[in-house]
Amino acid sequence: MSDVIATQNLRRTIRIHRLDNVSVALVDLPAGAEVEAGDAVVTLAEPIARKHKFTHQALAVGDLVIMYGVTVGRATQAIAAGGRIGTDNVEHVTDSDQSETRRTGWQAPDVTAFEGRTFDGFHRGDGSVGTANYWLVVPLVFCENRNIEVLRTCINDALGNDPHRRYKHMARSLLKGEPLTEDNVSEEAVMDTPFPNVDGVRFLTHSLGCGGTREDAKALCQLLAGYICHPNVAGATVLSLGCQNAEASLLQEAIAARDPSATRPVHFFEQQALGDEQTLMRETLSAIFDGLREANELTRQPAPVSKLVLGVECGGSDGFSGISANPLVGGVMDRLVALGGSGILSEFPELCGVEHELAARCTSDELAARFRELMSAYQRHAGAVGADFSMNPSPGNIRDGLITDAMKSAGAARKGGDSPIVDVLDYTEPVTRPGLSLLCTPGNDVESTTAMAGSGANLMLFTTGLGTPTGNPVTPVLKIASNSDLARRMFDAIDFDAGPIVEGSSSIDALADALLERCIETASGRYQSCASRLDQQDFIPWKRGVSL
């Protein structure tokens, strides 16, 4: 972080790193405007849209584009000093093959204000602590999805839990031809829950379990075991058809490996063995309500902040994400690690171009080698089907200034802060060490958040510049906006505004302390994330195919 500087001219531009040869426009800039560019002043050769980048000096064909202090592209055309860079004149290129020197002597942030702090969590028999308390209902195979949905409808109705009641009122009013008013769209009173210590029942559905490879079935069972043994889960009801690849025994073995003392009740029901639907429904409903009664016996108790496992994600990123929201989250990650907590940085396609920096942070040569091996294997697999990490940026990313995967990755990696990397995990492997771990997942938002929860994240921070509603069934997901415009526009989906960093009205350090406070409040159940309030429960297992 010591190399990162912010050179601003009336908050119009920002140069992120002292080695950068491009700067970011914080506002729309006209052609001919004179702006700071590093240690000099450059006259813009053309209009530069907000969030886009312009060169400090003329670039010839083949010259490298440097941002965040690393290579993020190469000029394919001559670009004038003060010229805009875009997909028409810059291509993806990295210096990821650069050798790394082991980085030592991490300077942890000052966490004096948080020493001795606790959150109120649910203490599990395996030593983990939950930030929530759910009963989980899962299918082993897609054939059971319909039965899962029937159970969801019945349980939610019985508990008076209908997150869509407001929209149902709207629909009924529109059907009758009535104008929409506060009276006819207001929500019905929610009935008191008989299980005040349970945050709800979570129902997973998916498209896997049969028809794929045996490795697909094994990976699914490992992921489901991660959810069933999750700190935020009290127990689970599992539905099996009976003949699928993802056999009950595979899941039972995976659960036993993670929770050898069987600290959570897990009930299995096989439809082919039980026979008729009514019997299946009666048995599973009885098991769910028995489980809820047992889960309700547990209450929140103080736990050290070191029991938090923080997953970090970005999605719908814009040209400000790597300037404000991502380094802000990185500041929270460093604070948590300094307090003895754990963190997960995932999305391997979005670490392309900064491999050498992350490898240098690994605490051993073996970890660095494993990280490079997993990255290379992922890239080879993508290449075998004609794909490449360079295809990762979406049209929305590009429109908002993230023109190459290397540029997107350099900003995305800042979510992981600067602390040493203590472990490198493959998909579905659990976090077992305090400190920052790398987890191999796709860049796809929901596949990645699904994986981080499966590896034990009991809280997530999700940065976005364009906006996204993403949540998770068992882990609270806090959404951080990179800019204040988004925070105002999607106020019901955004939990924290990093825009003041771009505007220059607040610092990363000040907001990192405030966001860590929000994390503690969320972990204690005193703040409900926007995604939870909107009942956003996104779950997509990775089939280990090519997903960028």
Side-chain angles (χ1 to χ4, degrees):
M1 292 294 286
S2 58
D3 282 338
V4 176
I5 61 176
T7 302
Q8 298 190 34
N9 179 19
L10 300 177
R11 292 197 290 271
R12 295 190 301 167
T13 69
I14 185 169
R15 181 195 188 195
I16 298 171
H17 191 281
R18 61 182 175 81
L19 298 179
D20 293 356
N21 60 3
V22 295
S23 287
V24 185
L26 301 181
V27 296
D28 291 338
L29 298 170
E34 293 187 348
V35 296
E36 287 189 8
D39 298 324
V41 174
V42 65
T43 301
L44 297 181
E46 56 188 303
I48 307 295
R50 178 174 179 259
K51 305 182 184 180
H52 285 257
K53 289 81 182 171
F54 61 88
T55 60
H56 295 176
Q57 62 271 331
L59 298 182
V61 174
D63 283 353
L64 298 179
V65 176
I66 309 298
M67 191 172 173
Y68 301 100
V70 298
T71 299
V72 298
R74 176 171 52 207
T76 58
Q77 300 177 17
I79 307 173
R84 173 195 58 83
I85 66 170
T87 54
D88 58 330
N89 58 16
V90 169
E91 65 182 356
H92 168 85
V93 70
T94 74
D95 51 11
S96 56
D97 292 333
Q98 179 179 324
S99 60
E100 70 273 355
T101 301
R102 184 76 56 245
R103 190 188 299 178
T104 58
W106 173 57
Q107 185 174 355
D110 181 7
V111 292
T112 305
F114 292 94
E115 289 177 352
R117 290 290 301 277
T118 62
F119 70 97
D120 295 331
F122 294 95
H123 293 248
R124 305 297 179 190
D126 59 5
S128 65
V129 180
T131 61
N133 191 28
Y134 293 113
W135 188 266
L136 193 64
V137 184
V138 303
L140 269 170
V141 62
F142 56 83
C143 308
E144 292 299 314
N145 282 349
R146 182 260 181 189
N147 290 329
I148 295 291
E149 294 298 347
V150 172
L151 291 170
R152 186 200 307 267
T153 299
C154 296
I155 294 291
N156 285 344
D157 182 70
L159 296 178
N161 176 26
D162 185 356
H164 311 301
R165 63 177 66 86
R166 174 182 292 268
Y167 306 124
K168 291 179 179 178
H169 288 177
M170 287 184 185
R172 284 194 289 267
S173 295
L174 291 169
L175 177 64
K176 298 174 183 176
E178 299 173 351
L180 295 181
T181 66
E182 281 301 315
D183 290 335
N184 60 25
V185 301
S186 60
E187 299 184 13
E188 298 171 350
V190 179
M191 61 186 292
D192 291 335
T193 174
F195 309 110
N197 297 321
V198 180
D199 293 291
V201 184
R202 291 294 185 253
F203 302 85
L204 306 185
T205 58
H206 56 79
S207 61
L208 303 177
C210 204
T213 67
R214 294 301 188 268
E215 284 303 310
D216 290 338
K218 182 178 179 181
L220 173 65
C221 288
Q222 292 287 349
L223 178 69
L224 294 179
Y227 274 70
I228 291 169
C229 300
H230 192 279
N232 294 355
V233 172
T237 301
V238 182
L239 269 63
S240 168
L241 179 60
C243 58
Q244 71 276 348
N245 286 344
E247 297 179 272
S249 59
L250 285 177
L251 179 56
Q252 289 164 339
E253 291 169 7
I255 292 171
R258 290 182 186 246
D259 185 15
S261 299
T263 60
R264 293 168 179 80
V266 184
H267 308 140
F268 286 80
F269 297 92
E270 181 183 312
Q271 186 172 9
Q272 289 172 346
L274 287 171
D276 66 285
E277 179 184 278
Q278 184 170 326
T279 300
L280 175 67
M281 289 295 125
R282 183 179 64 249
E283 296 292 326
T284 52
L285 284 169
S286 297
I288 292 169
F289 279 104
D290 286 344
L292 286 172
R293 294 184 185 95
E294 183 174 349
N296 192 54
E297 295 175 3
L298 198 62
T299 60
R300 289 184 182 270
Q301 300 294 329
V305 173
S306 59
K307 287 294 185 178
L308 291 178
V309 182
L310 183 65
V312 293
E313 178 74 18
C314 56
S317 299
D318 72 345
F320 289 164
S321 292
I323 299 171
S324 59
N326 290 348
L328 168 61
V329 166
V332 175
M333 180 68 80
D334 283 344
R335 283 160 174 74
L336 180 61
V337 170
L339 291 164
S342 304
I344 304 173
L345 178 63
S346 59
E347 300 181 284
F348 272 29
E350 298 189 9
L351 302 179
C352 177
V354 292
E355 295 96 327
H356 57 289
E357 291 198 343
L358 293 170
R361 289 167 56 187
C362 289
T363 55
S364 70
D365 291 338
E366 291 75 18
L367 286 178
R370 190 177 196 220
F371 171 55
R372 286 194 174 275
E373 177 187 341
L374 286 171
M375 285 286 286
S376 297
Y378 201 148
Q379 181 68 283
R380 286 195 304 272
H381 190 50
V385 295
D388 190 89
F389 283 175
S390 63
M391 298 175 179
N392 176 271
S394 70
N397 295 149
I398 294 169
R399 281 195 302 271
D400 265 47
L402 298 178
I403 62 171
T404 70
D405 183 55
M407 181 183 292
K408 184 178 179 181
S409 296
R414 301 185 75 190
K415 302 190 305 293
D418 286 327
S419 69
I421 293 167
V422 300
D423 210 352
V424 177
L425 307 172
D426 201 359
Y427 180 63
T428 74
E429 291 181 344
V431 170
T432 59
R433 301 174 183 173
L436 178 63
S437 296
L438 301 180
L439 174 64
C440 183
T441 76
N444 177 295
D445 299 349
V446 178
E447 287 176 329
S448 178
T449 53
T450 296
M452 287 192 291
S455 289
N458 57 10
L459 185 66
M460 290 191 220
L461 296 181
F462 191 128
T463 69
T464 182
L466 303 175
T468 175
T470 302
N472 182 265
V474 301
T475 300
V477 179
L478 294 174
K479 230 70 62 52
I480 296 91
S482 73
N483 61 90
S484 297
D485 287 345
L486 172 63
R488 287 187 292 267
R489 190 173 65 254
M490 294 183 67
F491 62 90
D492 63 341
I494 299 298
D495 298 279
F496 200 90
D497 182 13
I501 296 170
V502 175
E503 297 160 2
S505 60
S506 190
S507 68
I508 289 174
D509 282 339
L511 288 185
D513 285 345
L515 182 52
L516 181 53
E517 286 283 1
R518 175 60 55 86
C519 289
I520 293 171
E521 289 296 295
T522 305
S524 300
R526 294 188 289 269
Y527 175 84
Q528 185 180 32
S529 72
C530 291
S532 295
R533 286 199 296 269
L534 294 174
D535 197 45
Q536 193 79 30
Q537 302 178 34
D538 300 297
F539 178 82
I540 302 179
W542 182 28
K543 200 179 176 182
R544 213 54 194 255
V546 176
S547 180
L548 301 178

